[in-house]
PDB file of all heavy atoms in Angstrom:
ATOM      1  N   GLN T   1      49.167  12.908 -63.447  1.00 97.00           N
ATOM      2  CA  GLN T   1      48.532  11.699 -62.800  1.00 97.00           C
ATOM      3  C   GLN T   1      47.212  12.120 -62.231  1.00 97.00           C
ATOM      4  O   GLN T   1      46.936  13.248 -61.808  1.00 97.00           O
ATOM      5  CB  GLN T   1      49.459  11.144 -61.746  1.00 97.00           C
ATOM      6  CG  GLN T   1      50.692  10.492 -62.338  1.00 97.00           C
ATOM      7  CD  GLN T   1      51.427   9.757 -61.175  1.00 97.00           C
ATOM      8  OE1 GLN T   1      51.252   9.985 -60.022  1.00 97.00           O
ATOM      9  NE2 GLN T   1      52.346   8.885 -61.553  1.00 97.00           N
ATOM     10  N   PRO T   2      46.278  11.135 -62.104  1.00 97.00           N
ATOM     11  CA  PRO T   2      44.962  11.429 -61.491  1.00 97.00           C
ATOM     12  C   PRO T   2      45.170  11.989 -60.103  1.00 97.00           C
ATOM     13  O   PRO T   2      46.002  11.524 -59.327  1.00 97.00           O
ATOM     14  CB  PRO T   2      44.338  10.028 -61.478  1.00 97.00           C
ATOM     15  CG  PRO T   2      44.903   9.349 -62.623  1.00 97.00           C
ATOM     16  CD  PRO T   2      46.373   9.839 -62.639  1.00 97.00           C
ATOM     17  N   GLY T   3      44.364  13.032 -59.746  1.00 97.00           N
ATOM     18  CA  GLY T   3      44.529  13.651 -58.430  1.00 97.00           C
ATOM     19  C   GLY T   3      45.572  14.854 -58.499  1.00 97.00           C
ATOM     20  O   GLY T   3      45.571  15.668 -57.588  1.00 97.00           O
ATOM     21  N   GLY T   4      46.222  14.979 -59.611  1.00 98.00           N
ATOM     22  CA  GLY T   4      47.181  16.058 -59.766  1.00 98.00           C
ATOM     23  C   GLY T   4      46.665  17.397 -60.195  1.00 98.00           C
ATOM     24  O   GLY T   4      45.390  17.508 -60.373  1.00 98.00           O
ATOM     25  N   SER T   5      47.563  18.320 -60.383  1.00 97.00           N
ATOM     26  CA  SER T   5      47.107  19.700 -60.786  1.00 97.00           C
ATOM     27  C   SER T   5      47.849  20.105 -61.958  1.00 97.00           C
ATOM     28  O   SER T   5      48.990  19.692 -62.266  1.00 97.00           O
ATOM     29  CB  SER T   5      47.398  20.632 -59.589  1.00 97.00           C
ATOM     30  OG  SER T   5      46.617  20.363 -58.519  1.00 97.00           O
ATOM     31  N   LEU T   6      47.294  21.054 -62.701  1.00 97.00           N
ATOM     32  CA  LEU T   6      47.899  21.693 -63.836  1.00 97.00           C
ATOM     33  C   LEU T   6      47.374  23.056 -63.982  1.00 97.00           C
ATOM     34  O   LEU T   6      46.129  23.361 -63.680  1.00 97.00           O
ATOM     35  CB  LEU T   6      47.679  20.773 -65.092  1.00 97.00           C
ATOM     36  CG  LEU T   6      48.608  20.760 -66.243  1.00 97.00           C
ATOM     37  CD1 LEU T   6      50.010  20.230 -65.740  1.00 97.00           C
ATOM     38  CD2 LEU T   6      48.077  19.841 -67.328  1.00 97.00           C
ATOM     39  N   ARG T   7      48.176  23.903 -64.540  1.00 98.00           N
ATOM     40  CA  ARG T   7      47.725  25.355 -64.750  1.00 98.00           C
ATOM     41  C   ARG T   7      47.905  25.662 -66.189  1.00 98.00           C
ATOM     42  O   ARG T   7      49.066  25.643 -66.693  1.00 98.00           O
ATOM     43  CB  ARG T   7      48.436  26.305 -63.801  1.00 98.00           C
ATOM     44  CG  ARG T   7      47.920  27.749 -63.811  1.00 98.00           C
ATOM     45  CD  ARG T   7      48.754  28.721 -63.190  1.00 98.00           C
ATOM     46  NE  ARG T   7      48.160  29.942 -62.712  1.00 98.00           N
ATOM     47  CZ  ARG T   7      48.741  31.059 -62.521  1.00 98.00           C
ATOM     48  NH1 ARG T   7      50.042  31.123 -62.763  1.00 98.00           N
ATOM     49  NH2 ARG T   7      48.045  32.120 -62.170  1.00 98.00           N
ATOM     50  N   LEU T   8      46.894  26.054 -66.844  1.00 98.00           N
ATOM     51  CA  LEU T   8      47.002  26.582 -68.242  1.00 98.00           C
ATOM     52  C   LEU T   8      46.919  28.102 -68.242  1.00 98.00           C
ATOM     53  O   LEU T   8      46.304  28.749 -67.452  1.00 98.00           O
ATOM     54  CB  LEU T   8      45.830  26.000 -69.057  1.00 98.00           C
ATOM     55  CG  LEU T   8      45.589  24.481 -69.099  1.00 98.00           C
ATOM     56  CD1 LEU T   8      44.447  24.139 -70.048  1.00 98.00           C
ATOM     57  CD2 LEU T   8      46.803  23.723 -69.402  1.00 98.00           C
ATOM     58  N   SER T   9      47.697  28.652 -69.194  1.00 97.00           N
ATOM     59  CA  SER T   9      47.731  30.103 -69.449  1.00 97.00           C
ATOM     60  C   SER T   9      47.355  30.398 -70.932  1.00 97.00           C
ATOM     61  O   SER T   9      47.627  29.641 -71.795  1.00 97.00           O
ATOM     62  CB  SER T   9      49.057  30.687 -69.143  1.00 97.00           C
ATOM     63  OG  SER T   9      49.504  30.344 -67.785  1.00 97.00           O
ATOM     64  N   CYS T  10      46.714  31.604 -71.036  1.00 96.00           N
ATOM     65  CA  CYS T  10      46.343  32.035 -72.380  1.00 96.00           C
ATOM     66  C   CYS T  10      46.542  33.502 -72.410  1.00 96.00           C
ATOM     67  O   CYS T  10      45.847  34.230 -71.856  1.00 96.00           O
ATOM     68  CB  CYS T  10      44.855  31.601 -72.728  1.00 96.00           C
ATOM     69  SG  CYS T  10      44.178  32.213 -74.230  1.00 96.00           S
ATOM     70  N   GLY T  11      47.573  33.911 -73.287  1.00 94.00           N
ATOM     71  CA  GLY T  11      47.841  35.317 -73.343  1.00 94.00           C
ATOM     72  C   GLY T  11      47.155  35.983 -74.585  1.00 94.00           C
ATOM     73  O   GLY T  11      47.282  35.323 -75.747  1.00 94.00           O
ATOM     74  N   ALA T  12      46.561  37.096 -74.376  1.00 92.00           N
ATOM     75  CA  ALA T  12      45.926  37.756 -75.561  1.00 92.00           C
ATOM     76  C   ALA T  12      46.769  38.972 -75.881  1.00 92.00           C
ATOM     77  O   ALA T  12      47.248  39.680 -75.094  1.00 92.00           O
ATOM     78  CB  ALA T  12      44.520  38.202 -75.106  1.00 92.00           C
ATOM     79  N   SER T  13      46.822  39.184 -77.242  1.00 89.00           N
ATOM     80  CA  SER T  13      47.470  40.335 -77.795  1.00 89.00           C
ATOM     81  C   SER T  13      46.801  40.887 -78.941  1.00 89.00           C
ATOM     82  O   SER T  13      45.780  40.263 -79.502  1.00 89.00           O
ATOM     83  CB  SER T  13      48.973  39.941 -78.204  1.00 89.00           C
ATOM     84  OG  SER T  13      48.883  38.958 -79.243  1.00 89.00           O
ATOM     85  N   GLY T  14      47.061  42.067 -79.413  1.00 87.00           N
ATOM     86  CA  GLY T  14      46.426  42.756 -80.536  1.00 87.00           C
ATOM     87  C   GLY T  14      45.428  43.670 -79.933  1.00 87.00           C
ATOM     88  O   GLY T  14      45.712  44.407 -79.039  1.00 87.00           O
ATOM     89  N   SER T  15      44.244  43.744 -80.516  1.00 84.00           N
ATOM     90  CA  SER T  15      43.197  44.665 -80.085  1.00 84.00           C
ATOM     91  C   SER T  15      42.361  44.088 -78.918  1.00 84.00           C
ATOM     92  O   SER T  15      41.350  43.655 -79.064  1.00 84.00           O
ATOM     93  CB  SER T  15      42.216  44.916 -81.257  1.00 84.00           C
ATOM     94  OG  SER T  15      41.282  45.861 -80.904  1.00 84.00           O
ATOM     95  N   THR T  16      43.011  44.187 -77.760  1.00 81.00           N
ATOM     96  CA  THR T  16      42.373  43.532 -76.536  1.00 81.00           C
ATOM     97  C   THR T  16      41.344  44.445 -75.801  1.00 81.00           C
ATOM     98  O   THR T  16      40.712  43.972 -74.935  1.00 81.00           O
ATOM     99  CB  THR T  16      43.508  43.111 -75.589  1.00 81.00           C
ATOM    100  OG1 THR T  16      44.222  44.221 -75.177  1.00 81.00           O
ATOM    101  CG2 THR T  16      44.342  42.021 -76.186  1.00 81.00           C
ATOM    102  N   PHE T  17      41.387  45.781 -76.119  1.00 84.00           N
ATOM    103  CA  PHE T  17      40.491  46.593 -75.455  1.00 84.00           C
ATOM    104  C   PHE T  17      39.032  46.261 -75.785  1.00 84.00           C
ATOM    105  O   PHE T  17      38.721  46.021 -76.909  1.00 84.00           O
ATOM    106  CB  PHE T  17      40.658  48.125 -75.864  1.00 84.00           C
ATOM    107  CG  PHE T  17      39.781  49.061 -75.196  1.00 84.00           C
ATOM    108  CD1 PHE T  17      40.029  49.469 -73.861  1.00 84.00           C
ATOM    109  CD2 PHE T  17      38.625  49.535 -75.861  1.00 84.00           C
ATOM    110  CE1 PHE T  17      39.135  50.367 -73.253  1.00 84.00           C
ATOM    111  CE2 PHE T  17      37.800  50.449 -75.258  1.00 84.00           C
ATOM    112  CZ  PHE T  17      38.047  50.857 -73.994  1.00 84.00           C
ATOM    113  N   GLY T  18      38.206  46.161 -74.766  1.00 82.00           N
ATOM    114  CA  GLY T  18      36.798  45.905 -74.939  1.00 82.00           C
ATOM    115  C   GLY T  18      36.436  44.380 -74.991  1.00 82.00           C
ATOM    116  O   GLY T  18      35.283  44.020 -75.298  1.00 82.00           O
ATOM    117  N   ILE T  19      37.407  43.566 -74.447  1.00 85.00           N
ATOM    118  CA  ILE T  19      37.057  42.120 -74.337  1.00 85.00           C
ATOM    119  C   ILE T  19      35.998  41.976 -73.196  1.00 85.00           C
ATOM    120  O   ILE T  19      36.166  42.475 -72.106  1.00 85.00           O
ATOM    121  CB  ILE T  19      38.337  41.335 -74.018  1.00 85.00           C
ATOM    122  CG1 ILE T  19      39.184  41.249 -75.262  1.00 85.00           C
ATOM    123  CG2 ILE T  19      37.909  39.933 -73.524  1.00 85.00           C
ATOM    124  CD1 ILE T  19      40.480  40.556 -75.080  1.00 85.00           C
ATOM    125  N   ASN T  20      34.929  41.269 -73.531  1.00 85.00           N
ATOM    126  CA  ASN T  20      33.856  41.036 -72.531  1.00 85.00           C
ATOM    127  C   ASN T  20      34.046  39.787 -71.734  1.00 85.00           C
ATOM    128  O   ASN T  20      33.746  39.942 -70.473  1.00 85.00           O
ATOM    129  CB  ASN T  20      32.496  40.995 -73.274  1.00 85.00           C
ATOM    130  CG  ASN T  20      32.236  42.254 -74.064  1.00 85.00           C
ATOM    131  OD1 ASN T  20      32.419  43.330 -73.635  1.00 85.00           O
ATOM    132  ND2 ASN T  20      31.745  42.074 -75.318  1.00 85.00           N
ATOM    133  N   ASN T  21      34.356  38.776 -72.303  1.00 92.00           N
ATOM    134  CA  ASN T  21      34.498  37.502 -71.542  1.00 92.00           C
ATOM    135  C   ASN T  21      35.727  36.768 -72.048  1.00 92.00           C
ATOM    136  O   ASN T  21      36.143  36.819 -73.167  1.00 92.00           O
ATOM    137  CB  ASN T  21      33.273  36.616 -71.858  1.00 92.00           C
ATOM    138  CG  ASN T  21      31.973  37.134 -71.176  1.00 92.00           C
ATOM    139  OD1 ASN T  21      31.812  37.168 -69.920  1.00 92.00           O
ATOM    140  ND2 ASN T  21      31.138  37.646 -72.024  1.00 92.00           N
ATOM    141  N   MET T  22      36.222  35.983 -71.199  1.00 94.00           N
ATOM    142  CA  MET T  22      37.375  35.122 -71.457  1.00 94.00           C
ATOM    143  C   MET T  22      37.093  33.789 -70.836  1.00 94.00           C
ATOM    144  O   MET T  22      36.311  33.716 -69.772  1.00 94.00           O
ATOM    145  CB  MET T  22      38.709  35.656 -70.942  1.00 94.00           C
ATOM    146  CG  MET T  22      39.011  37.063 -71.376  1.00 94.00           C
ATOM    147  SD  MET T  22      40.565  37.638 -70.634  1.00 94.00           S
ATOM    148  CE  MET T  22      41.723  36.856 -71.789  1.00 94.00           C
ATOM    149  N   GLY T  23      37.571  32.672 -71.395  1.00 96.00           N
ATOM    150  CA  GLY T  23      37.170  31.425 -70.860  1.00 96.00           C
ATOM    151  C   GLY T  23      37.812  30.254 -71.517  1.00 96.00           C
ATOM    152  O   GLY T  23      38.790  30.456 -72.335  1.00 96.00           O
ATOM    153  N   TRP T  24      37.318  29.075 -71.275  1.00 98.00           N
ATOM    154  CA  TRP T  24      37.908  27.772 -71.774  1.00 98.00           C
ATOM    155  C   TRP T  24      36.803  26.813 -72.209  1.00 98.00           C
ATOM    156  O   TRP T  24      35.767  26.690 -71.559  1.00 98.00           O
ATOM    157  CB  TRP T  24      38.754  27.199 -70.638  1.00 98.00           C
ATOM    158  CG  TRP T  24      39.893  28.049 -70.175  1.00 98.00           C
ATOM    159  CD1 TRP T  24      39.866  28.922 -69.243  1.00 98.00           C
ATOM    160  CD2 TRP T  24      41.238  27.942 -70.653  1.00 98.00           C
ATOM    161  NE1 TRP T  24      41.116  29.549 -69.106  1.00 98.00           N
ATOM    162  CE2 TRP T  24      41.940  28.929 -69.964  1.00 98.00           C
ATOM    163  CE3 TRP T  24      41.895  27.123 -71.631  1.00 98.00           C
ATOM    164  CZ2 TRP T  24      43.270  29.100 -70.209  1.00 98.00           C
ATOM    165  CZ3 TRP T  24      43.132  27.359 -71.828  1.00 98.00           C
ATOM    166  CH2 TRP T  24      43.893  28.323 -71.190  1.00 98.00           C
ATOM    167  N   TYR T  25      37.179  26.141 -73.283  1.00 98.00           N
ATOM    168  CA  TYR T  25      36.399  24.996 -73.709  1.00 98.00           C
ATOM    169  C   TYR T  25      37.378  23.848 -73.752  1.00 98.00           C
ATOM    170  O   TYR T  25      38.626  24.059 -73.658  1.00 98.00           O
ATOM    171  CB  TYR T  25      35.909  25.177 -75.174  1.00 98.00           C
ATOM    172  CG  TYR T  25      34.544  25.871 -75.282  1.00 98.00           C
ATOM    173  CD1 TYR T  25      34.376  27.196 -75.017  1.00 98.00           C
ATOM    174  CD2 TYR T  25      33.417  25.115 -75.640  1.00 98.00           C
ATOM    175  CE1 TYR T  25      33.196  27.903 -75.179  1.00 98.00           C
ATOM    176  CE2 TYR T  25      32.204  25.739 -75.814  1.00 98.00           C
ATOM    177  CZ  TYR T  25      32.139  27.113 -75.589  1.00 98.00           C
ATOM    178  OH  TYR T  25      30.925  27.744 -75.699  1.00 98.00           O
ATOM    179  N   ARG T  26      36.924  22.669 -73.877  1.00 98.00           N
ATOM    180  CA  ARG T  26      37.727  21.463 -74.076  1.00 98.00           C
ATOM    181  C   ARG T  26      37.016  20.430 -75.071  1.00 98.00           C
ATOM    182  O   ARG T  26      35.901  20.486 -75.137  1.00 98.00           O
ATOM    183  CB  ARG T  26      38.081  20.754 -72.763  1.00 98.00           C
ATOM    184  CG  ARG T  26      36.914  20.115 -72.048  1.00 98.00           C
ATOM    185  CD  ARG T  26      37.285  19.590 -70.699  1.00 98.00           C
ATOM    186  NE  ARG T  26      36.192  18.917 -69.983  1.00 98.00           N
ATOM    187  CZ  ARG T  26      36.219  18.467 -68.759  1.00 98.00           C
ATOM    188  NH1 ARG T  26      37.392  18.608 -68.058  1.00 98.00           N
ATOM    189  NH2 ARG T  26      35.225  17.864 -68.277  1.00 98.00           N
ATOM    190  N   GLN T  27      37.878  19.635 -75.624  1.00 98.00           N
ATOM    191  CA  GLN T  27      37.370  18.639 -76.530  1.00 98.00           C
ATOM    192  C   GLN T  27      38.020  17.334 -76.178  1.00 98.00           C
ATOM    193  O   GLN T  27      39.157  16.998 -76.579  1.00 98.00           O
ATOM    194  CB  GLN T  27      37.688  19.020 -78.076  1.00 98.00           C
ATOM    195  CG  GLN T  27      37.006  18.005 -79.014  1.00 98.00           C
ATOM    196  CD  GLN T  27      36.869  18.511 -80.410  1.00 98.00           C
ATOM    197  OE1 GLN T  27      37.645  19.479 -80.672  1.00 98.00           O
ATOM    198  NE2 GLN T  27      36.033  18.018 -81.193  1.00 98.00           N
ATOM    199  N   PRO T  28      37.282  16.403 -75.542  1.00 97.00           N
ATOM    200  CA  PRO T  28      37.794  15.039 -75.252  1.00 97.00           C
ATOM    201  C   PRO T  28      37.968  14.298 -76.478  1.00 97.00           C
ATOM    202  O   PRO T  28      37.220  14.576 -77.445  1.00 97.00           O
ATOM    203  CB  PRO T  28      36.723  14.525 -74.253  1.00 97.00           C
ATOM    204  CG  PRO T  28      35.936  15.675 -73.794  1.00 97.00           C
ATOM    205  CD  PRO T  28      36.021  16.668 -74.885  1.00 97.00           C
ATOM    206  N   PRO T  29      38.800  13.237 -76.489  1.00 95.00           N
ATOM    207  CA  PRO T  29      39.042  12.452 -77.685  1.00 95.00           C
ATOM    208  C   PRO T  29      37.695  11.813 -78.076  1.00 95.00           C
ATOM    209  O   PRO T  29      37.020  11.179 -77.234  1.00 95.00           O
ATOM    210  CB  PRO T  29      40.021  11.412 -77.197  1.00 95.00           C
ATOM    211  CG  PRO T  29      40.070  11.446 -75.733  1.00 95.00           C
ATOM    212  CD  PRO T  29      39.650  12.755 -75.302  1.00 95.00           C
ATOM    213  N   GLY T  30      37.345  11.986 -79.394  1.00 96.00           N
ATOM    214  CA  GLY T  30      36.159  11.447 -79.930  1.00 96.00           C
ATOM    215  C   GLY T  30      34.823  12.081 -79.628  1.00 96.00           C
ATOM    216  O   GLY T  30      33.757  11.551 -79.867  1.00 96.00           O
ATOM    217  N   LYS T  31      34.951  13.152 -78.856  1.00 96.00           N
ATOM    218  CA  LYS T  31      33.719  13.911 -78.467  1.00 96.00           C
ATOM    219  C   LYS T  31      33.793  15.366 -78.970  1.00 96.00           C
ATOM    220  O   LYS T  31      34.623  15.839 -79.487  1.00 96.00           O
ATOM    221  CB  LYS T  31      33.617  13.902 -76.984  1.00 96.00           C
ATOM    222  CG  LYS T  31      33.556  12.533 -76.332  1.00 96.00           C
ATOM    223  CD  LYS T  31      33.381  12.602 -74.848  1.00 96.00           C
ATOM    224  CE  LYS T  31      33.157  11.213 -74.244  1.00 96.00           C
ATOM    225  NZ  LYS T  31      33.165  11.269 -72.746  1.00 96.00           N
ATOM    226  N   GLN T  32      32.546  16.029 -78.833  1.00 97.00           N
ATOM    227  CA  GLN T  32      32.395  17.371 -79.250  1.00 97.00           C
ATOM    228  C   GLN T  32      33.025  18.312 -78.191  1.00 97.00           C
ATOM    229  O   GLN T  32      33.226  17.939 -77.019  1.00 97.00           O
ATOM    230  CB  GLN T  32      30.977  17.689 -79.419  1.00 97.00           C
ATOM    231  CG  GLN T  32      30.283  16.986 -80.550  1.00 97.00           C
ATOM    232  CD  GLN T  32      28.875  17.528 -80.841  1.00 97.00           C
ATOM    233  OE1 GLN T  32      28.275  18.124 -80.037  1.00 97.00           O
ATOM    234  NE2 GLN T  32      28.395  17.279 -82.121  1.00 97.00           N
ATOM    235  N   ARG T  33      33.343  19.484 -78.724  1.00 97.00           N
ATOM    236  CA  ARG T  33      33.946  20.462 -77.776  1.00 97.00           C
ATOM    237  C   ARG T  33      32.827  20.945 -76.803  1.00 97.00           C
ATOM    238  O   ARG T  33      31.654  21.072 -77.160  1.00 97.00           O
ATOM    239  CB  ARG T  33      34.370  21.681 -78.628  1.00 97.00           C
ATOM    240  CG  ARG T  33      35.181  22.734 -77.885  1.00 97.00           C
ATOM    241  CD  ARG T  33      35.689  23.825 -78.815  1.00 97.00           C
ATOM    242  NE  ARG T  33      36.603  23.418 -79.838  1.00 97.00           N
ATOM    243  CZ  ARG T  33      37.328  24.150 -80.636  1.00 97.00           C
ATOM    244  NH1 ARG T  33      37.286  25.447 -80.397  1.00 97.00           N
ATOM    245  NH2 ARG T  33      38.095  23.594 -81.514  1.00 97.00           N
ATOM    246  N   GLU T  34      33.266  21.057 -75.523  1.00 97.00           N
ATOM    247  CA  GLU T  34      32.299  21.452 -74.432  1.00 97.00           C
ATOM    248  C   GLU T  34      32.901  22.596 -73.671  1.00 97.00           C
ATOM    249  O   GLU T  34      34.095  22.745 -73.478  1.00 97.00           O
ATOM    250  CB  GLU T  34      32.114  20.221 -73.470  1.00 97.00           C
ATOM    251  CG  GLU T  34      33.355  19.737 -72.839  1.00 97.00           C
ATOM    252  CD  GLU T  34      33.045  18.430 -72.072  1.00 97.00           C
ATOM    253  OE1 GLU T  34      32.215  17.677 -72.333  1.00 97.00           O
ATOM    254  OE2 GLU T  34      33.881  18.225 -71.070  1.00 97.00           O
ATOM    255  N   TRP T  35      31.959  23.416 -73.155  1.00 98.00           N
ATOM    256  CA  TRP T  35      32.349  24.625 -72.360  1.00 98.00           C
ATOM    257  C   TRP T  35      32.847  24.158 -71.009  1.00 98.00           C
ATOM    258  O   TRP T  35      32.263  23.307 -70.379  1.00 98.00           O
ATOM    259  CB  TRP T  35      31.176  25.499 -72.296  1.00 98.00           C
ATOM    260  CG  TRP T  35      31.302  26.693 -71.438  1.00 98.00           C
ATOM    261  CD1 TRP T  35      32.038  27.870 -71.766  1.00 98.00           C
ATOM    262  CD2 TRP T  35      30.735  26.941 -70.126  1.00 98.00           C
ATOM    263  NE1 TRP T  35      31.967  28.765 -70.746  1.00 98.00           N
ATOM    264  CE2 TRP T  35      31.097  28.208 -69.718  1.00 98.00           C
ATOM    265  CE3 TRP T  35      29.945  26.158 -69.196  1.00 98.00           C
ATOM    266  CZ2 TRP T  35      30.758  28.785 -68.506  1.00 98.00           C
ATOM    267  CZ3 TRP T  35      29.515  26.727 -68.131  1.00 98.00           C
ATOM    268  CH2 TRP T  35      29.940  27.979 -67.709  1.00 98.00           C
ATOM    269  N   VAL T  36      33.908  24.775 -70.576  1.00 98.00           N
ATOM    270  CA  VAL T  36      34.480  24.504 -69.209  1.00 98.00           C
ATOM    271  C   VAL T  36      34.093  25.596 -68.213  1.00 98.00           C
ATOM    272  O   VAL T  36      33.599  25.325 -67.016  1.00 98.00           O
ATOM    273  CB  VAL T  36      36.049  24.336 -69.349  1.00 98.00           C
ATOM    274  CG1 VAL T  36      36.628  24.271 -67.913  1.00 98.00           C
ATOM    275  CG2 VAL T  36      36.414  23.221 -70.193  1.00 98.00           C
ATOM    276  N   GLY T  37      34.306  26.884 -68.574  1.00 98.00           N
ATOM    277  CA  GLY T  37      34.084  28.002 -67.758  1.00 98.00           C
ATOM    278  C   GLY T  37      34.465  29.262 -68.369  1.00 98.00           C
ATOM    279  O   GLY T  37      35.061  29.349 -69.353  1.00 98.00           O
ATOM    280  N   SER T  38      33.974  30.380 -67.705  1.00 97.00           N
ATOM    281  CA  SER T  38      34.339  31.680 -68.173  1.00 97.00           C
ATOM    282  C   SER T  38      34.413  32.731 -67.059  1.00 97.00           C
ATOM    283  O   SER T  38      34.124  32.470 -65.959  1.00 97.00           O
ATOM    284  CB  SER T  38      33.242  32.098 -69.171  1.00 97.00           C
ATOM    285  OG  SER T  38      32.039  32.235 -68.479  1.00 97.00           O
ATOM    286  N   ILE T  39      35.079  33.832 -67.429  1.00 96.00           N
ATOM    287  CA  ILE T  39      35.192  34.976 -66.424  1.00 96.00           C
ATOM    288  C   ILE T  39      34.832  36.191 -67.245  1.00 96.00           C
ATOM    289  O   ILE T  39      35.317  36.401 -68.442  1.00 96.00           O
ATOM    290  CB  ILE T  39      36.592  35.024 -65.864  1.00 96.00           C
ATOM    291  CG1 ILE T  39      36.683  36.107 -64.814  1.00 96.00           C
ATOM    292  CG2 ILE T  39      37.644  35.151 -66.949  1.00 96.00           C
ATOM    293  CD1 ILE T  39      37.967  35.970 -63.983  1.00 96.00           C
ATOM    294  N   THR T  40      34.039  37.119 -66.607  1.00 93.00           N
ATOM    295  CA  THR T  40      33.661  38.279 -67.266  1.00 93.00           C
ATOM    296  C   THR T  40      34.683  39.431 -67.003  1.00 93.00           C
ATOM    297  O   THR T  40      35.615  39.191 -66.154  1.00 93.00           O
ATOM    298  CB  THR T  40      32.350  38.824 -66.793  1.00 93.00           C
ATOM    299  OG1 THR T  40      32.462  39.242 -65.450  1.00 93.00           O
ATOM    300  CG2 THR T  40      31.243  37.708 -66.825  1.00 93.00           C
TER     301      THR T  40
END
């Protein structure tokens, strides 16, 4: 519901050594994908 909270998780596996940045994009309905944020 509006005003509520949600937590997304994303687990990486495989050749994870040397990852520089991780983050999130989103794509609203009928719109282009947009950057949400990142962490170095």
